[in-house]
Amino acid sequence: MGSSGSALRVCADHRGGINWLSLSPDGQRLLTGSEDGTARLWSTADGQCCALLQGHESYVTFCQLEDEAAFTCSADCTIRRWDVRTGQCLQVYRGHTSIVNRILVANDQLFSSSYDRTARAWTVDKEQVSKEFRGHRNCVLTLAYSAPKDLPSDSCLEAAMGGGLLVTGSTDDTAKVWQVASGCCHQTLRGHTGAVLCLVLDVSSHTAFTGSTDATVRAWDILSGEQLRVFREHQGSVICLELTDRLLYTGSADRTVKCWLADTGERVRTFPAHRHSVSALKYHAGTLFTGSGDACARAFDAQSGVLQRVFRGHTFVINCLQVGVFLPSSVLPQGSKGLPMGGDSRGLLMADSCPACPQVHGQVLYTASHDGALRLWDVRGLQSVPPSPRRPAAKRSLSRLFSNKVACAAPVPLQPA
């Protein structure tokens, strides 16, 4: 069944659910975006909140953290760029006419998707739209980008693909591939019979993988638009995807994660044990971490499928998770119960189960939940387990419908763990 994980810290400053969590490329900071309309920057050196980012007029739907700047988008139809050292808002990007769902910073460009049925490209250092991508018939949920260097060097395509390709997924049941330089639609990927909720891009093979409410994952050639294969064994909406080492992990409302050979579509194994929809996935160093609507995170040995650890403590669905390194800059006295922030008793709380946790140096799992808490978990000691014989996957009934607002199944009252 797996052992229980130890909580290192509970960061409970937010006054609403956390919709997204982003780790900086250098691993020194975390960024959380919340239903309370704010984002917060956290230091991974001591787990403390180092900046409160205020300015949005509605809830924050998504965020991305770079080394020098933080980016947030909101239901107030705007995107904001923040200085990570001062917390000052540097730019406000206005133009969308409905909720901004996702943002992506890549190749010195900022991309966004919205309920207004468009995606947009922005010049990062200016508050101006450089391209608008129109063509979807319903809201645009998800984004992925392939840079020019990752595309084939073909003189016939050089002009069209000089700015790279943007891939978008929509609730109109399609994904689209856009030429960033021109703003033109390069391909429309048709085949799903439900909303496209998630996508990942394998830039080396120019392949997009899309997950949908139709319970399938599909692989597409983004250059030709050809559908390459269909992954059909899930019994509920496919909510999240993770691609690593030619293996595709898919999390579903049917309460399972499945692992597939990305190049053939063959299912390798199924990871059960979840008691609600699987809302988040992260592969790290041979371990598959999952977040679920049952308010638990789990660690599985990715090769064998064995459940190694269950992380209990959240009270609502886990919307996002990351794995990083916790390197405290100072050590509290052993047995210390907490480090309040700015006199706020809802600030940084030390978990009673780990009184010496400030001394931990090593890998940490970060989980962000709709309960408003950011939790840090000790993930040391996870060992590889020999694979067990493969068994046919059990069929399950369709779970609750997907909620686009927080990118997970709608929360339900928890049953005793």
Side-chain angles (χ1 to χ4, degrees), residues 117-403:
R117 306 181 183 185
T118 72
R120 298 176 191 231
W122 311 76
T123 306
V124 172
D125 58 354
K126 299 179 182 178
E127 300 170 356
Q128 298 176 350
V129 177
S130 57
K131 284 292 180 296
E132 190 172 319
F133 308 97
R134 288 187 174 271
H136 280 297
R137 300 176 64 185
N138 214 326
C139 63
V140 186
L141 294 180
T142 186
L143 298 166
Y145 175 73
S146 182
K149 65 181 178 61
D150 298 318
L151 298 170
S153 21
D154 185 332
S155 56
C156 300
L157 298 173
E158 187 174 351
M161 302 192 186
L165 294 176
L166 179 69
V167 187
T168 57
S170 168
T171 56
D172 66 7
D173 304 352
T174 72
K176 287 180 179 286
V177 184
W178 307 87
Q179 298 171 7
V180 173
S182 66
C184 296
C185 181
H186 180 70
Q187 299 288 351
T188 298
L189 312 180
R190 293 187 175 91
H192 282 296
T193 57
V196 177
L197 304 181
C198 50
L199 70 87
V200 292
L201 198 57
D202 178 15
V203 295
S204 63
S205 66
H206 320 301
T207 303
F209 297 88
T210 54
S212 168
T213 57
D214 66 10
T216 71
V217 176
R218 294 169 192 256
W220 314 83
D221 185 316
I222 62 172
L223 302 179
S224 67
E226 177 188 0
Q227 180 177 286
L228 303 175
R229 62 198 69 92
V230 184
F231 307 73
R232 294 188 183 275
E233 292 191 23
H234 277 299
Q235 303 299 306
S237 299
V238 179
I239 296 172
C240 46
L241 302 171
E242 178 87 341
L243 180 65
T244 182
D245 297 332
R246 312 309 308 156
L247 294 174
L248 179 68
Y249 297 92
T250 59
S252 171
D254 67 8
R255 307 181 183 185
T256 71
V257 176
K258 293 183 184 292
C259 175
W260 317 77
L261 297 179
D263 297 327
T264 66
E266 177 189 354
R267 180 181 57 79
V268 177
R269 67 188 55 86
T270 298
F271 302 81
H274 306 92
R275 301 174 66 186
H276 204 282
S277 303
V278 178
S279 50
L281 292 173
K282 187 68 178 179
Y283 175 90
H284 180 80
T287 300
L288 179 68
F289 296 94
T290 67
S292 173
D294 64 13
C296 292
R298 291 172 173 83
F300 294 88
D301 180 82
Q303 182 178 1
S304 67
V306 171
L307 176 62
Q308 295 182 296
R309 204 167 293 176
V310 181
F311 305 91
R312 295 182 176 92
H314 285 295
T315 58
F316 250 157
V317 60
I318 294 173
N319 289 330
C320 190
L321 43 81
Q322 292 285 348
V323 181
V325 177
F326 180 62
L327 296 173
S329 57
S330 61
V331 177
L332 289 183
Q334 185 157 338
S336 173
K337 296 292 184 181
L339 278 176
M341 297 179 196
D344 184 353
S345 62
R346 282 174 49 90
L348 181 62
L349 309 177
M350 194 70 63
D352 290 340
S353 60
C354 185
C357 63
Q359 301 180 38
V360 172
H361 290 244
Q363 291 180 351
V364 170
L365 172 67
Y366 302 95
T367 57
S369 168
H370 206 61
D371 64 10
L374 167 67
R375 287 177 178 259
L376 287 64
W377 309 87
D378 185 1
V379 296
R380 295 173 301 167
L382 293 174
Q383 306 266 342
S384 278
V385 179
S388 55
R390 289 171 55 183
R391 298 176 181 176
K395 297 290 184 180
R396 293 185 182 268
S397 60
L398 180 66
S399 187
R400 286 189 174 224
L401 293 177
F402 185 87
S403 166

Side-chain angles (χ1 to χ4, degrees), residues 91-109:
Q91 266 104 27
V92 182
Y93 306 85
R94 305 179 191 275
H96 282 296
T97 58
S98 189
I99 297 169
V100 184
N101 288 310
R102 291 288 183 270
I103 49 176
L104 171 63
V105 181
N107 203 35
D108 297 322
Q109 297 178 92

